[in-house]
């Protein structure tokens, strides 16, 4: 390891009580950000495979488990590390058996459970809390112990009882093969033309199916606009002659643009949203194609016929006349729900078609009747997880990959013009079905908990690195979960999970060794507004379980730390950090990951740290969330770097600092060195990444000042200079990791 990491991470405080804390921790001294980022990069592409315990259900902004394992180890290990080499010590521990039963780790924003899971794997006692019931439900299922034979038996019983009813609604009648399974139905939204009243299908293009890698596999399927025959074409073609009616058309063109549609009858172009708002219901859909599974296991695209339409009408009739208790809950206005409200979706169940509602209700009712609480919760979690792949907000991702682009692929509720309906029960060839997610999520997670592993990268060979799984470095996961802090304190369990505001907890004063967390952002995805999509179904299956956690109407709360208004976000975060200050030992650490592209995101976090009674001891950059996330790919300057912020109680500082005269110059140099280290590992950073690193270096020092108002004023005054410096550093990156330092010294 180079000395670079040591230099930029080493920031020593002055202690008020004469002596430093009992023991400085490794993460205060340094952090192997380059090496951990390389492992994180590999993990980020297949998190569901490499760390399945955190993937039994959808959650947003799930952080990488290898990063949090390294954070846990760095927060527990003494400075100097196992080999007296600082950050290399964390790496040495990373692949060695670790058992830390005397350490108590607390996560007040547990999300999908990465912190509590990684701390639990390392033998720590853990407390996890989240204000969102869906988060609590996910983590409790993930960390509970389940007998694999009982899980299999329960699935088989469900299969015997209801699978035939569900699978009967995903059949097609063919002349050549007889009755076969349907894998997927293709639908399109339509609206009436405001000018002539004709039906206008909202096709983005006439190509409705193609390969996930079209440059390598260019064959695609297109729909003739005249007769709706399915034509096999090349994905780049602009002129196609229909093989059935002879019409020539451009398959790249549909009836819609970005926001407008053109009527095929009167040729008028109109705003789609205006046509939708003129309705008193969400836009209707119609089926136009399907994919069947042939007896030999291959797939075939076919048009919709009378049998398909009759089968769907049968499902609608059964839904209307049967006694099915699917949730009919209103969608409340909000930052992430206003878009669907604008499309006249007023209730959550309207996001599903009648066949989906019927089959989901059949499964939901069967799961509700499972007698054993842990098993009922596990299968309720499985069905809830299926929802994101089985709504009319899904679309076709393409051949050669998981076919269903799920409801939250954009991290928002985006009305889909060309939805895809999948086979809910599923076949071995299905994507996102109840049966396949049982195999790929539930069973995979249970197997992982019994034998967890870490990824280790090999040395580069011809520029490429392979990874292998390293077993026997962590204890088995799962166990009894305490329902109260008193039970936890009595030693009934080493895991305590709860649901509620983390600004007020039942944890006693001064007992936590480290708070390790990943707080939400004030202007990003509002988890509770989206989590209600799942929550309304979970409530139906879980009833009065877990002490009334599922009795709330919504997962939203005025106390959640995710507000569009920066002031409310900051105040709520201060309240949580203050309670963290209360429960932490005097020499305990507050460690959290954070990034933000805007200045107000950094002033908010600096104010929260200051007002809650902490200062920043060190900051370290590290690889952020999933590289393949659609919002990240579509961003102009995506953020791929998180900052690990390491804090201690402010009572340890004396005297407080004044803002150094050359603070900006120091931060410029340190930022350049960090960027250079990433460049040497063949990682080029975005402009936003450089901003994140620069701001982290600034607030590390600014957190040690007494006058918050003066500090925030300084941060505002250098905003323009920061932008200029960031632009310069970003442009001067080199594939060989060499920055032009002489040009970088602007001040």
């Amino acid at each position: 390891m180079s000395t670079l990491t040591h230099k930029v991470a080493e920031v020593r405080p002055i202690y008020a009580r004469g002596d430093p804390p009992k023991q400085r921790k490794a993460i205060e001294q340094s952090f192997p950000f380059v090496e951990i980022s390389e492992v994180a990069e590999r993990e980020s592409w297949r998190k569901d495979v490499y760390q399945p315990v955190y993937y039994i259900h959808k959650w947003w902004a799930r952080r990488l488990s290898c990063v949090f394992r390294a954070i846990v180890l760095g927060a527990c290990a003494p400075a100097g590390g196992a080999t007296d080499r600082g950050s290399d010590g964390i790496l040495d521990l990373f692949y060695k058996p670790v058992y830390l039963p005397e350490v108590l780790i607390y996560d007040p924003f547990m999300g999908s459970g990465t912190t509590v899971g990684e701390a639990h794997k390392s033998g720590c006692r853990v407390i996890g809390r989240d204000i969102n019931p869906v988060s609590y439900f996910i983590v409790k299922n993930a960390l509970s112990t389940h007998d694999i034979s009982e899980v299999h038996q329960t699935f088989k019983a469900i299969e015997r009882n209801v699978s035939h009813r569900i699978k009967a609604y995903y059949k097609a009648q063919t002349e050549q093969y007889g009755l076969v399974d349907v894998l997927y139905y293709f639908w399109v939204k339509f609206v009436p033309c405001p000018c002539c009243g004709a039906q206008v299908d909202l096709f983005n293009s006439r190509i409705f199916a193609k390969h996930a890698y079209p440059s390598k596999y260019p064959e695609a399927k297109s729909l003739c606009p005249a007769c709706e025959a399915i034509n096999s074409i090349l994905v780049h073609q602009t002129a196609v002659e229909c093989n059935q009616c002879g019409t020539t058309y451009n398959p790249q063109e549909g009836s819609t643009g970005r926001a407008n549609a053109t009527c095929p009858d009167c040729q008028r172009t109109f705003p789609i949203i205006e046509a939708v708002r003129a309705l008193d219901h969400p836009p209707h859909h119609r089926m136009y194609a399907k994919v069947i599974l042939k007896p030999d296991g291959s797939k075939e695209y076919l048009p919709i016929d009378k049998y398909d339409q009759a089968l769907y009408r049968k499902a609608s009739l059964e839904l209307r006349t049967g006694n099915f208790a699917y949730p009919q809950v209103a969608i409340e206005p909000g930052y992430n729900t206003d878009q669907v409200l604008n499309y006249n979706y007023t209730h959550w169940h309207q996001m599903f078609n009648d066949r989906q509602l019927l089959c989901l209700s059949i499964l939901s009712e069967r799961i509700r009747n499972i007698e054993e609480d842990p098993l009922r919760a596990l299968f309720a979690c499985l069905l809830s997880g299926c929802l994101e792949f089985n709504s009319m907000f899904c679309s076709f991702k393409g051949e050669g990959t998981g076919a269903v682009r799920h409801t939250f692929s954009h991290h928002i509720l985006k009305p889909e013009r060309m939805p895809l309906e999948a086979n809910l029960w599923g076949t071995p060839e299905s994507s996102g079905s109840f049966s396949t997610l049982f195999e790929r999520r539930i069973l995979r997670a249970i197997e992982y908990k019994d034998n967890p592993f870490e990824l280790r990268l090999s040395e580069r060979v011809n520029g490429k690195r392979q990874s292998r799984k390293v077993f026997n470095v962590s204890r088995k996961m799962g166990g009894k979960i305490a329902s109260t802090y008193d039970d936890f304190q009595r030693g009934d369990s080493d895991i305590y999970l709860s649901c509620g505001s983390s600004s007020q907890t039942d944890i006693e004063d001064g007992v936590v060794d480290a708070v390790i967390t990943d707080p939400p952002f004030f202007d990003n995805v509002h988890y509770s507004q989206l989590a209600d999509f799942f929550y309304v179904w979970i409530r139906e299956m879980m009833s009065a379980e877990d002490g009334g956690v599922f009795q709330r109407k919504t997962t939203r709360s005025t106390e959640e730390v995710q507000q569009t208004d920066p002031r409310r976000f900051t105040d709520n975060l201060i309240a949580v950090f203050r309670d963290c200050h209360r429960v932490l030992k005097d020499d305990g650490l507050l460690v959290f990951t954070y990034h933000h592209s805007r200045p107000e995101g950094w002033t908010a976090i600096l104010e929260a740290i200051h007002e809650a009674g902490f200062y920043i001891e060190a900051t370290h950059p590290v690889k952020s969330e999933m590289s393949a996330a659609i919002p990240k790919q579509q961003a102009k300057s995506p953020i791929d770097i998180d900052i690990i912020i390491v804090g201690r109680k402010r009572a340890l500082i004396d005297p407080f600092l004044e803002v150094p005269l050359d603070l900006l110059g120091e931060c410029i140099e340190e930022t350049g060195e960090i960027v250079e280290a990433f460049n040497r590992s063949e990682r080029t950073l975005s402009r936003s990444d450089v901003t994140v690193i620069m701001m982290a270096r600034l607030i590390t020092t600014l957190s040690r000042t007494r006058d918050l108002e003066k500090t925030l004023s300084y941060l505002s005054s250098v905003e323009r200079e920061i932008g200029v410096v960031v632009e310069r550093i970003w442009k001067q990156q080199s594939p060989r990791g060499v920055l032009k330092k002489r040009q970088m010294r602007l001040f």
Side-chain angles (χ1 to χ4, degrees):
M1 183 70 184
S2 71
T3 59
L4 172 63
T5 310
H6 298 267
K7 177 180 178 181
V8 298
E10 187 72 27
V11 184
R12 297 185 177 277
I14 302 171
Y15 298 100
R17 300 175 185 175
D19 295 318
K22 295 177 182 178
Q23 179 69 62
R24 280 173 57 81
K25 301 301 181 183
I27 199 167
E28 299 176 87
Q29 177 176 308
S30 55
F31 189 83
F33 62 84
V34 169
E35 291 87 344
I36 294 298
S37 293
E38 289 178 337
V39 177
E41 182 69 36
R42 181 61 58 91
E43 181 188 320
S44 73
W45 289 97
R46 293 301 306 274
K47 290 190 286 187
D48 56 326
V49 173
Y50 294 138
Q51 303 296 339
V53 70
Y54 311 120
Y55 275 77
I56 62 171
H57 193 284
K58 170 69 180 179
W59 194 252
W60 294 268
R62 286 175 288 202
R63 289 307 186 244
L64 297 161
S65 61
C66 65
V67 171
F68 277 82
R69 174 174 173 81
I71 291 173
V72 168
L73 295 176
C76 296
T83 60
D84 197 33
R85 290 181 300 165
S87 62
D88 289 325
I90 295 176
L91 287 178
D92 289 343
L93 288 173
F94 197 91
Y95 297 109
K96 290 181 179 179
V98 176
Y99 185 60
L100 304 164
E102 303 303 318
V103 177
L104 175 55
I105 303 294
Y106 168 46
D107 184 354
F109 303 106
M110 66 179 172
S112 63
T114 306
T115 294
V116 291
E118 293 306 300
H120 173 64
K121 277 169 55 181
S122 301
C124 301
R125 300 175 71 231
V126 295
I127 299 176
R129 186 171 174 84
D130 203 286
I131 199 168
N132 196 295
V134 175
S135 165
Y136 167 79
F137 182 66
I138 296 169
V139 180
K140 187 173 182 182
N141 275 291
L143 294 185
S144 293
T145 298
H146 299 97
D147 184 292
I148 190 68
S149 63
E150 291 181 355
V151 172
H152 273 291
Q153 290 170 12
T154 303
F155 177 79
K156 290 297 183 183
I158 295 172
E159 186 175 38
R160 286 193 303 272
N161 295 156
V162 303
S163 67
H164 62 284
R165 292 179 63 189
I166 296 171
K167 289 191 287 187
Y169 281 111
Y170 296 92
K171 297 289 184 180
Q173 185 66 55
T174 65
E175 291 184 9
Q176 186 174 359
Y177 315 112
L179 200 64
V180 295
D181 290 319
V182 175
L183 290 174
Y184 309 107
Y185 293 102
F186 293 86
W187 295 74
V188 63
K189 275 184 171 64
F190 61 86
V191 295
C193 173
C195 302
C196 70
Q199 177 178 309
V200 181
D201 294 331
L202 302 183
F203 281 111
N204 298 322
S205 80
R206 287 288 165 174
I207 297 175
F208 67 90
K210 59 185 178 181
H211 200 278
Y213 304 98
S215 60
K216 188 174 182 180
Y217 304 97
E219 185 178 346
K221 303 295 181 183
S222 72
L223 194 71
C224 174
C227 70
E228 299 216 318
I230 296 174
N231 294 287
S232 293
I233 67 168
L234 297 179
V235 70
H236 61 270
Q237 283 185 261
T238 57
V240 172
E241 181 178 327
C242 177
N243 59 23
Q244 184 165 306
C245 70
T247 298
T248 299
Y249 65 97
N250 183 351
Q252 309 296 332
E253 294 180 352
S255 52
T256 69
R258 187 178 181 88
N260 299 322
T262 300
C263 176
D265 285 13
C266 70
Q267 299 300 309
R268 295 288 187 90
T269 297
F270 59 89
I272 296 171
I273 191 62
E274 290 186 11
V276 171
R277 287 172 178 167
L279 305 172
D280 60 358
H281 54 77
H284 290 311
H285 304 82
R286 68 176 184 88
M287 291 185 288
Y288 62 88
K290 60 182 179 281
V291 179
I292 66 165
L293 189 63
K294 296 193 291 188
D296 64 0
S298 61
K299 304 171 188 176
E300 185 175 346
Y301 290 79
L302 294 174
I304 293 299
D305 58 25
K306 291 181 179 180
Y307 182 90
D308 302 316
Q309 294 166 344
L311 189 61
Y312 185 80
R313 287 196 298 269
K314 181 182 176 182
S316 295
L317 181 61
E318 184 176 355
L319 181 69
R320 300 287 182 270
T321 58
N323 185 25
F324 297 102
Y326 58 86
Q328 300 185 49
V329 180
I331 301 174
E332 297 182 19
Y335 184 84
N336 286 126
T337 53
D338 285 347
Q339 187 173 12
V340 293
L341 290 170
N342 287 337
Y343 267 68
N344 298 331
Y345 290 91
T346 58
H347 290 71
W348 291 107
H349 71 274
Q350 293 173 322
M351 295 176 64
F352 305 87
N353 69 30
D354 286 354
R355 176 165 41 209
Q356 291 171 329
L357 284 176
L358 172 64
C359 295
L360 287 167
S361 298
I362 291 171
L363 269 174
S364 175
E365 182 179 0
R366 177 59 182 83
I367 291 169
R368 194 162 50 243
N369 292 329
I370 297 174
E371 294 183 0
E372 298 82 2
D373 291 349
L375 287 172
R376 182 169 65 257
L378 184 66
F379 281 90
C381 185
L382 170 60
L383 179 58
S384 179
C386 288
L387 298 174
E388 65 173 320
F389 298 96
N390 291 275
S391 82
M392 295 298 279
F393 279 52
C394 298
S395 59
F396 190 61
K397 192 191 298 185
E399 296 284 1
T401 183
V404 183
R405 180 176 290 110
H406 59 80
T407 301
F408 296 105
S409 60
H410 295 271
H411 290 185
I412 58 174
L413 290 171
K414 179 179 178 289
E416 180 58 47
R417 296 175 185 174
M418 299 170 62
L420 183 77
E421 178 190 4
N423 184 322
L424 177 61
W425 185 268
T427 74
E429 298 297 322
S430 290
S431 172
S433 70
F434 188 80
S435 60
T436 55
L437 290 183
F438 173 71
E439 296 282 343
R440 298 169 189 172
R441 283 188 173 181
I442 302 302
L443 294 185
R444 189 179 282 168
I446 293 174
E447 291 168 0
Y448 176 85
K449 289 193 293 183
D450 284 342
N451 196 14
F453 58 84
E454 303 301 329
L455 286 182
R456 187 165 203 161
L457 301 183
S458 65
E459 294 297 323
R460 293 184 184 274
V461 177
N462 297 325
K464 296 183 179 180
R465 304 184 73 170
Q466 301 297 319
S467 63
R468 64 182 178 89
K469 298 175 182 178
V470 180
F471 293 90
N472 302 317
V473 296
S474 300
R475 68 166 178 172
K476 290 185 177 182
M477 299 179 70
K480 180 181 178 182
I481 296 174
S483 57
T484 68
Y485 181 73
D486 288 341
D487 291 342
F488 179 72
Q489 278 295 84
R490 284 195 297 267
D492 295 349
S493 171
D494 58 5
I495 305 172
Y496 170 41
L497 305 178
S498 63
C499 182
S501 172
S502 294
S503 63
Q504 295 179 326
T505 67
D506 59 356
I507 307 170
E508 65 180 296
D509 295 355
V511 295
V512 172
D513 293 285
V515 172
I516 300 176
T517 192
D518 175 50
F521 305 146
F522 71 80
D523 65 345
N524 212 303
V525 179
H526 291 239
Y527 306 156
S528 63
Q529 296 177 20
L530 302 181
D532 278 350
F533 171 83
F534 301 108
Y535 179 68
V536 295
W537 287 88
I538 294 172
R539 284 181 65 203
E540 291 289 327
M541 293 178 280
M542 296 307 298
S543 184
E545 300 299 327
D546 279 295
V549 167
F550 304 110
Q551 295 304 297
R552 290 162 50 178
K553 180 181 178 182
T554 175
T555 68
R556 300 188 191 192
S557 170
T558 57
E559 294 181 275
E560 64 184 323
V561 184
Q562 194 154 44
Q563 307 289 345
T564 306
D565 176 21
R567 184 68 263 156
R568 291 180 63 193
F569 166 83
T570 305
D571 289 343
N572 287 0
L573 185 59
I574 289 170
V576 173
F577 278 178
R578 279 177 174 161
D579 198 70
C580 292
H581 189 282
R582 177 185 66 81
V583 304
L584 268 173
K585 294 177 178 178
D586 286 343
D587 61 348
L589 294 180
L590 169 68
V591 186
F592 62 96
T593 54
Y594 188 78
H595 69 237
H596 211 287
S597 60
R598 304 211 317 256
E600 54 265 43
W602 293 97
T603 56
I605 209 71
L606 182 59
E607 182 177 350
I609 291 169
H610 184 281
E611 292 298 288
F614 293 100
Y615 73 95
I616 300 173
E617 174 73 9
T619 56
H620 312 288
V622 74
K623 165 80 174 109
S624 183
E625 60 182 313
M626 188 174 183
S627 300
I630 289 178
K632 181 173 289 189
Q633 293 177 343
Q634 293 178 343
K636 184 177 180 180
S637 181
I639 299 178
D640 198 43
I641 296 296
D642 268 340
I643 294 298
I644 303 169
I645 296 176
V646 184
R648 282 194 179 272
K649 293 186 175 182
R650 283 178 65 83
L652 297 174
I653 299 181
D654 185 31
F656 287 93
L657 299 177
E658 294 295 329
V659 177
L661 293 176
D662 194 32
L663 175 59
L664 197 57
E666 294 173 2
C667 293
I668 292 169
E669 182 177 357
E670 292 174 348
T671 299
E673 290 173 339
I674 293 172
V675 172
E676 181 181 343
F678 275 122
N679 290 169
R680 285 175 179 153
S681 68
E682 299 183 4
R683 180 182 296 277
T684 302
L685 304 186
S686 70
R687 183 190 293 105
S688 294
D689 287 333
V690 179
T691 300
V692 165
I693 295 169
M694 182 73 176
M695 295 304 299
R697 300 310 307 147
L698 278 170
I699 68 169
T700 299
T701 299
L702 295 177
S703 71
R704 299 158 185 265
T705 61
R706 184 189 300 275
D707 190 330
L708 178 63
E709 185 176 345
K710 184 184 296 185
T711 300
L712 296 181
S713 176
Y714 169 81
L715 205 54
S716 177
S717 70
V718 296
E719 185 177 323
R720 187 191 66 80
E721 290 92 335
I722 291 171
V724 172
V725 169
V726 165
E727 183 78 10
R728 182 68 61 88
I729 295 175
W730 172 64
K731 287 183 176 179
Q732 290 174 346
Q733 291 181 90
S734 165
R736 295 184 300 277
V738 179
L739 291 171
K740 302 172 185 177
K741 295 183 180 179
R742 285 181 298 176
Q743 296 180 28
M744 215 169 59
R745 292 170 183 159
L746 304 180
F747 302 94

